[in-house]
């Protein structure tokens, strides 16, 4: 599949483009990739995490930037039957969202005893004195705000040493279920455009993607869980940001590579308790039925255009339809905020444990430790004189079953439906894994292939 087709297919039915437009775009894409390979790749604050495998992510050309922002919301959400007996009985859900969604989210499991209601108790309906329900009465809460007729209610929080999870409900000012795109998995998803400020950091941090997993409870009410891997929050790059700003002020280029991250970045300690400030600026979703673009000429006429004329046409079209802005009415449905919240967070370390491994092979590749929580495994790799982006971790459970990553980082793995009494960790060459092994991960001989191809292997007993 061509690069341009990958982008468009990833967006599903986002924007309908003629074949010749894809061809033109693919040519431009290939040229830019070739140019990027020749020069340095400066990194400012984008590569926040020391553990990021950002090196392999290709930079999109100008023509595609109006489309790629929309792709961020294409993650799997999870359906809840409209005839759900819980909903039919109108059992209160504020303070109980994890119970409703815990089998539907990527890091699934029983959150009972782990997720805590933010108010510390069941909310009360001011009219009846009973529990508030999904009818719209939220009771009185500092964790529920209405802006422009849209109500956002934060329900519960669960934070362990690896991830922060917050459940929430979004009540629109109109029916919007049918406006949100259903992705290739038959699910609907929303995206939270927000800033987060953690009290144990000196500066705010742009961490996580803002994607929430969940589903519509009715035509205008969406319930979901936002999960944030804490690795980026705990990795402080403020000194690197300062150095980058100084270089830019002097008109100099400052390249952030692994050596710079290792030297000037520092890991913070997660406190037992902290405060999180959330500034939720916008809630977004992909349009289910986006309008088509009128390019103003036939396929043959488009094909006859020179690269320069095509780029000029492209720029005019993007300006005309607002595709150079995010969000835009051609691709997105959204609610404007802001909704602001201040949350007290207590870290729950129950059933969290870290197994030290400290094993490195002759090539300087190995495993430092494995952290286990009730819902995830975190693989902490070691790469001495190697770029982490050049390798990919693969983990098999005690039964030899492949454990698929559920988040943006392949080192974070859900434990549900797996025997994790022991695991086997394989570290593979990134390109070899992506090109040759990834498509075989569910085949019977996958373990044998890993035994032959992996550059490192280690079995770790977890129980």
């Amino acid at each position: 599949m061509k690069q341009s087709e990958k982008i468009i297919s990833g967006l599903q039915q986002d924007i309908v483009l003629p074949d010749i437009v894809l061809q033109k775009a693919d040519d431009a894409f290939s040229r830019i990739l070739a140019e990027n390979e020749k020069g340095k790749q400066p990194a400012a604050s984008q590569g926040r995490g020391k553990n990021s495998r950002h090196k392999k992510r290709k930079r999109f050309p100008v023509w595609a930037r109006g489309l790629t922002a929309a792709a961020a919301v294409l993650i799997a959400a999870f359906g809840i039957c409209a005839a759900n007996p819980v909903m039919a009985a109108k059992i209160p859900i504020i303070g109980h969202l994890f119970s409703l969604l815990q089998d539907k989210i990527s890091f699934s499991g029983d959150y009972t005893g782990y997720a805590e209601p933010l108010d510390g108790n069941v909310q009360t309906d001011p009219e009846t004195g009973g529990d508030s329900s999904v009818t719209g009465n939220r009771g009185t809460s500092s964790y529920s705000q209405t802006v422009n007729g849209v109500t956002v209610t934060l329900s519960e929080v669960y934070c362990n040493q690896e991830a922060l999870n917050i459940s929430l409900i979004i009540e629109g000012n109109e029916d919007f279920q049918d406006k949100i795109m259903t992705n290739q998995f038959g699910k609907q998803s929303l995206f939270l455009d927000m800033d987060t400020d953690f009290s144990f950091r000196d500066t705010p941090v742009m961490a996580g993607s803002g994607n929430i997993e969940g589903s519509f409870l009715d035509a205008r009410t969406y319930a979901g869980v936002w999960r944030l891997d804490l690795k980026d929050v705990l990795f402080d790059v403020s000194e690197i940001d300062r150095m980058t700003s100084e270089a830019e002020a002097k008109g100099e280029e400052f390249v952030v590579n692994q050596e710079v991250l290792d030297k000037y970045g520092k890991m913070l300690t997660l406190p037992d308790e902290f405060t999180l400030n959330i500034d939720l600026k916008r809630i977004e979703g992909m349009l289910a039925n986006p309008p088509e673009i009128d390019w103003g000429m036939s396929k043959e006429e488009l094909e006859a255009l020179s690269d320069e004329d095509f780029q000029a046409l492209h720029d005019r079209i993007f300006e005309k339809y607002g595709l150079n802005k995010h969000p835009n009415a051609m691709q997105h449905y959204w609610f404007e905020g802001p909704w602001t919240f201040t949350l007290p967070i207590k870290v729950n370390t129950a059933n969290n444990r870290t197994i030290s491994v400290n094993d490195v092979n002759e090539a300087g590749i190995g495993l430092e430790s494995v952290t286990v929580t009730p819902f995830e495994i975190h693989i902490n790799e070691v790469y001495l004189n190697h770029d982490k982006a050049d390798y990919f971790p693969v983990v098999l459970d005690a039964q030899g079953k492949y454990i698929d990553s559920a988040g943006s980082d392949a080192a974070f793995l859900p434990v549900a439906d797996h025997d994790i009494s022991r695991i086997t960790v394989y570290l593979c060459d990134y390109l070899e894994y992506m090109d040759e092994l990834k498509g075989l991960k569910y085949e019977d001989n996958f373990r044998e292939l890993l035994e032959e191809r992996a550059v490192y292997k280690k079995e770790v007993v977890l129980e």
Side-chain angles (χ1 to χ4, degrees):
M1 180 180 290
K2 295 181 178 180
Q3 299 289 357
S4 59
E5 291 174 339
K6 290 179 181 178
I7 296 172
I8 302 303
S9 63
L11 293 175
Q12 295 297 304
Q13 52 183 327
D14 187 15
I15 294 294
V16 180
L17 302 177
D19 291 341
I20 184 57
V21 174
L22 297 182
Q23 180 60 53
K24 294 280 189 180
D26 189 69
D27 294 341
F29 192 91
S30 298
R31 287 197 303 273
I32 290 178
L33 284 183
E35 292 171 3
N36 285 346
E37 289 297 323
K38 294 179 181 179
K40 292 181 179 179
Q41 187 176 1
S45 300
Q46 296 296 328
R48 290 282 182 183
K50 180 178 179 180
N51 298 326
S52 170
R53 289 181 171 80
H54 61 275
K55 177 179 177 181
K56 300 303 176 182
R57 299 175 187 171
K58 303 302 183 182
R59 188 183 301 276
F60 294 113
V62 173
W63 73 270
R65 290 177 188 167
L67 301 179
T68 54
V73 298
L74 292 179
I75 73 168
F78 299 87
I80 300 175
C81 177
N84 191 311
V86 173
M87 297 306 299
K90 293 188 178 180
I91 293 178
I93 61 173
I94 295 300
H96 305 281
L97 280 183
F98 275 102
S99 296
L100 186 66
L101 299 170
Q102 64 187 14
D103 293 330
K104 316 296 181 181
I105 57 180
S106 296
F107 290 86
S108 59
D110 186 359
Y111 282 79
T112 304
Y114 296 105
E116 293 290 336
L118 278 165
D119 273 346
N121 50 51
V122 177
Q123 296 192 51
T124 302
D125 188 312
E127 295 183 1
T128 67
D131 293 337
S132 59
S133 67
V134 77
T135 58
N137 289 320
R138 294 291 177 235
T140 302
S141 171
S142 58
Y143 306 113
S144 183
Q145 292 185 11
T146 300
V147 178
N148 298 323
V150 178
T151 300
V152 175
T153 302
L154 307 186
S155 176
E156 303 145 276
V157 61
Y158 168 60
C159 182
N160 57 37
Q161 64 190 71
E162 296 296 331
L164 170 66
N165 302 266
I166 299 174
S167 63
L168 68 157
I169 282 185
I170 299 165
E171 295 176 274
N173 51 18
E174 64 175 359
D175 293 355
F176 68 105
Q177 181 178 16
D178 60 351
K179 300 179 186 295
I180 303 302
M181 185 190 75
T182 299
N183 66 18
Q184 64 266 41
F185 303 107
K187 314 300 181 181
Q188 291 174 292
S189 180
L190 295 179
F191 178 82
L192 306 179
D193 183 359
M194 61 185 170
D195 293 330
T196 54
D197 187 1
F198 293 79
S199 60
F200 58 85
R201 290 183 54 97
D202 294 332
T203 58
V205 58
M206 294 179 62
S209 65
N211 291 302
I212 57 174
E213 293 183 306
S215 187
F216 282 92
L217 303 181
D218 57 43
R220 65 174 60 191
T221 307
Y222 188 93
V225 174
W226 173 57
R227 181 184 188 277
L228 172 64
D229 293 337
L230 291 175
K231 67 180 189 340
D232 289 343
V233 177
L234 295 175
F235 188 65
D236 184 6
V237 294
S238 56
E239 178 64 15
I240 298 174
D241 287 344
R242 184 191 64 78
M243 297 170 68
T244 301
S245 298
E246 287 184 356
E248 290 177 348
K250 298 176 182 179
E252 301 173 352
E253 182 181 67
F254 184 74
V255 178
V256 179
N257 52 28
Q258 192 64 49
E259 181 180 357
V260 171
L261 291 171
D262 291 339
K263 185 175 182 179
Y264 297 104
K266 65 177 182 179
M267 290 301 299
L268 303 175
T269 299
L270 182 66
D272 295 335
E273 298 183 19
F274 59 91
T275 300
L276 170 63
N277 292 311
I278 296 177
D279 180 9
L280 177 54
K281 296 176 289 185
R282 188 184 302 114
I283 301 166
E284 305 171 12
M286 296 289 291
L287 281 177
N289 298 295
E292 292 188 8
I293 293 177
D294 180 9
W295 290 85
M297 59 181 65
S298 66
K299 175 182 177 180
E300 290 73 20
E301 290 172 321
L302 283 169
E303 191 171 15
L305 292 176
S306 66
D307 290 344
E308 293 76 12
D309 289 341
F310 172 77
Q311 185 64 50
L313 173 62
H314 158 271
D315 292 344
R316 291 196 301 272
I317 289 294
F318 269 51
E319 179 71 24
K320 175 182 177 181
Y321 288 99
L323 292 171
N324 53 352
K325 301 177 182 178
H326 183 90
N328 63 75
M330 291 291 292
Q331 296 172 294
H332 309 104
Y333 179 86
W334 71 92
F335 299 123
E336 288 285 353
W339 301 264
T340 57
F341 303 96
T342 298
L343 284 65
I345 307 294
K346 293 184 179 181
V347 179
N348 186 337
T349 59
N351 297 315
N352 286 217
R353 61 193 184 279
T354 297
I355 294 87
S356 296
V357 180
N358 298 319
D359 180 64
V360 180
N361 64 16
E362 294 180 355
I365 299 172
L367 192 61
E368 177 182 346
S369 62
V370 177
T371 299
V372 185
T373 80
F375 308 99
E376 63 249 303
I377 295 173
H378 180 197
I379 306 300
N380 299 291
E381 308 139 78
V382 175
Y383 299 100
L384 303 178
N385 302 316
H386 293 271
D387 191 333
K388 184 172 183 176
D390 289 332
Y391 300 91
F392 194 90
V394 180
V395 180
L396 304 184
D397 69 10
Q399 306 302 320
K401 182 180 177 182
Y402 174 75
I403 307 179
D404 204 348
S405 60
S408 59
D409 192 323
F412 284 83
L413 309 163
V415 301
D417 301 322
H418 286 283
D419 178 355
I420 59 166
S421 56
R422 71 176 187 278
I423 60 172
T424 306
V425 179
Y426 298 90
L427 303 180
C428 302
D429 177 85
Y430 181 93
L431 293 178
E432 182 178 23
Y433 177 76
M434 290 298 171
D435 293 343
E436 302 177 25
L437 298 176
K438 182 178 180 180
L440 304 173
K441 60 188 180 183
Y442 296 116
E443 298 296 329
D444 293 338
N445 65 336
F446 186 55
R447 180 193 284 272
E448 287 72 19
L449 292 173
L450 291 174
E451 294 283 342
E452 297 173 2
R453 305 284 191 89
V455 298
Y456 175 85
K457 170 195 172 183
K458 184 68 176 181
E459 183 175 292
V460 183
V461 177
L462 301 183
E463 295 181 358

